[in-house]
Amino acid sequence: MPNNLLVDGPADGVRVFTLNRPDALNALNTELLGNLSRALDDAEADPDTRAVVITGSQKAFAAGADINEMAARDLVGILEDPRVAHWQRIDRFSKPIIAAVNGFALGGGCELAMHADILIAGENARFGQPEINLGIMPGAGGTQRLVRKVGESLAMHMALTGEPISATRALQAGLVSEICQPELTLERAVQIGQSIARKAPIAVRLTKESVRKANDMNLAEGLRFERHAFTVLAGTEDRQEGLDAFREKRKPRFTGR
Ligand code: DAK
């Protein structure tokens, strides 16, 4: 059986994960999610990996959870669903994740894309939460992250009708940060990853954590978290190096200390 998750790199600080179940439009079964979760463990532990890119094919990023697998689970099976731990692993990943999305990003596929910190879409991308058509509802953030990303009205429209939105609409709504030609989506995502890989790793880590807190905390708490994180950076060698390099008109050499 072909490997359902291809791993490349790290090259220039970036690892690329390619979802690879072409016969099922990259539907996310437990095995694929497990492989992704373990690949993230490896990437987390590797100091040479500074960012990861998750992508699919030109036709589909991922068409959702595997419907055949889901159909075999009853209430207890869903309650004890091993996929939940895999989703939590993705959410916990401390380094930046960039999603390069072409084609269908539906249901769990849209939810996986929303786990990314930066989302780049090809012009042919379609984002949707069609679970309602199956008599179910989103189960990996499609009613929560989607609201925070596109606002309640559009999220409600998508989740209640199951209608997908285009890449252009996703850009207008703030779900994606850039659109490009489908054949350039991955290249652009890798380029962004490489740019992040050249920054000071501890500053990157705390920036990601701090931006994410904006969704979990009220403004006063979030500002307090930001101030503490900012203060922590004052103890890093990379901060000194960054400030020195600017004043000496040279490129900084960050070491992650
Ligand atoms: N699962 C399994 N197989 C799928 C699939 C899916 N989600 N999507 C597509 N496929 C398979 C098709 O069955 C078909 O297989 P064969 O018949 O060739 O064997 C093959 O991929 C090609 O699909 P189509 O022939 O349908 O291709 P089309 O271009 O005509 O249509 C489509 C593309 C994306 C519009 C269509 O395939 C489609 O509507 N797919 C289903 C999309 C969908 O409903 N997605 C939501 C699934 S529910 C949770 C976490 C997450 C979730 C739930 C819980 N927890 C942690 C608790 C997520 C739930 C979901 O995502």
Side-chain angles (χ1 to χ4, degrees):
M1 195 188 287
N3 191 352
N4 57 27
L5 183 76
L6 309 178
V7 179
D8 278 316
D12 296 326
V14 181
R15 245 181 234 219
V16 177
F17 300 145
T18 305
L19 309 174
N20 183 41
R21 291 190 72 208
D23 295 346
L25 301 182
N26 293 331
L28 303 166
N29 61 8
T30 306
E31 188 189 304
L32 172 50
L33 283 171
N35 286 339
L36 180 58
S37 165
R38 281 183 289 278
L40 287 170
D41 283 341
D42 291 346
E44 187 86 76
D46 175 20
D48 293 331
T49 300
R50 302 285 182 80
V52 309
V53 170
I54 303 180
T55 194
S57 68
Q58 291 285 319
K59 177 156 189 200
F61 177 72
D66 189 304
I67 295 174
N68 300 318
E69 196 183 63
M70 227 167 33
R73 287 211 168 93
D74 60 7
L75 187 150
V76 175
I78 296 282
L79 195 65
E80 295 171 351
D81 195 334
R83 294 173 304 166
V84 172
H86 299 322
W87 284 101
Q88 287 168 342
R89 176 66 192 96
I90 303 166
D91 193 36
R92 255 193 1 260
F93 191 65
S94 74
K95 300 174 187 182
I97 300 178
I98 302 146
V101 176
N102 283 323
F104 298 112
L106 303 178
C110 185
E111 291 171 319
L112 176 60
M114 286 193 288
H115 277 67
D117 303 299
I118 300 174
L119 222 160
I120 305 299
E123 287 155 351
N124 65 346
R126 293 286 174 277
F127 297 89
Q129 298 291 159
E131 290 90 339
I132 197 79
N133 298 327
L134 302 170
I136 57 172
M137 61 177 280
T143 68
Q144 300 302 304
R145 287 192 185 87
L146 189 61
V147 173
R148 287 163 170 78
K149 292 194 187 270
V150 307
E152 184 179 322
S153 181
L154 181 56
M156 205 62 109
H157 188 136
M158 290 169 70
L160 288 178
T161 66
E163 288 168 14
I165 59 169
S166 67
T168 309
R169 185 81 181 90
L171 181 70
Q172 286 165 351
L175 179 59
V176 312
S177 65
E178 263 182 51
I179 299 183
C180 42
Q181 291 168 22
E183 54 284 7
L184 299 180
T185 314
L186 175 58
E187 190 180 319
R188 178 64 186 135
V190 169
Q191 220 174 55
I192 293 168
Q194 289 169 343
S195 160
I196 294 169
R198 291 191 289 272
K199 317 293 185 211
I202 304 175
V204 167
R205 182 184 179 133
L206 289 176
T207 300
K208 168 169 173 165
E209 204 175 340
S210 194
V211 171
R212 288 199 145 204
K213 291 288 179 202
N215 282 331
D216 304 340
M217 291 178 162
N218 66 36
L219 183 62
E221 289 167 342
L223 288 170
R224 204 158 45 241
F225 182 91
E226 182 187 82
R227 200 163 53 247
H228 289 320
F230 187 85
T231 306
V232 165
L233 288 181
T236 64
E237 292 171 17
D238 280 346
R239 171 185 184 268
Q240 198 55 50
E241 168 64 9
L243 300 178
D244 288 350
F246 177 80
R247 289 187 294 179
E248 291 162 16
K249 301 190 187 303
R250 61 172 175 82
K251 284 205 164 111
R253 286 180 298 272
F254 294 124
T255 58
R257 310 294 308 171

